[in-house]
Amino acid sequence: MAEHRGAAREHQPEQPPIELLGVLPAPDHRRNQQLCLDAGRALVLCGVFLVIPTAFGPADDGAAAAAAANKRRALLGFVAWILGVCLCLLGLTPAAPWVARAGAAVATTVLKFLSPPV
């Protein structure tokens, strides 16, 4: 039985070499990556701008409503920061085209939400 195990490896047909498409992705993929990076940067900055005042602001020990609002604001800032980091990493990852398109759709929605109407 041992002589048959190696025989299968010797008679495999040759496969053509894998061709690499190139170092740079397609132009629309680069646009999607840039859009993910831009929206990610915007969300990271918004998250930081939401969290910093709650961390270094004056502490009102007597107002329970203000403390609850600070906690909600800090949580919202943290979620925005995490989403921004995820979009930035998605923009830097050479992923499949459908992943980049999905990230670009999220990034477009985020940028429309963050930009003021003209």
Side-chain angles (χ1 to χ4, degrees):
M1 198 68 159
E3 63 271 359
H4 297 295
R5 288 186 193 148
R9 282 189 230 128
E10 293 174 8
H11 298 292
Q12 289 181 350
E14 284 192 34
Q15 296 179 355
I18 298 173
E19 295 180 19
L20 298 175
L21 296 175
V23 177
L24 296 176
D28 60 340
H29 186 65
R30 283 194 301 249
R31 182 182 172 279
N32 291 341
Q33 284 181 332
Q34 189 63 41
L35 192 59
C36 286
L37 282 173
D38 291 342
R41 288 181 199 131
L43 274 175
V44 166
L45 283 174
C46 287
V48 167
F49 288 149
L50 282 173
V51 170
I52 286 180
T54 61
F56 297 109
D60 293 334
D61 294 330
N70 278 345
K71 288 179 185 177
R72 283 193 301 267
R73 187 174 179 179
L75 179 65
L76 181 65
F78 180 70
V79 169
W81 184 78
I82 289 292
L83 183 60
V85 169
C86 290
L87 279 174
C88 284
L89 289 177
L90 183 65
L92 295 174
T93 305
W98 65 271
V99 174
R101 282 193 303 265
V106 170
T108 303
T109 305
V110 166
L111 289 177
K112 283 182 183 177
F113 181 74
L114 292 177
S115 63
V118 178

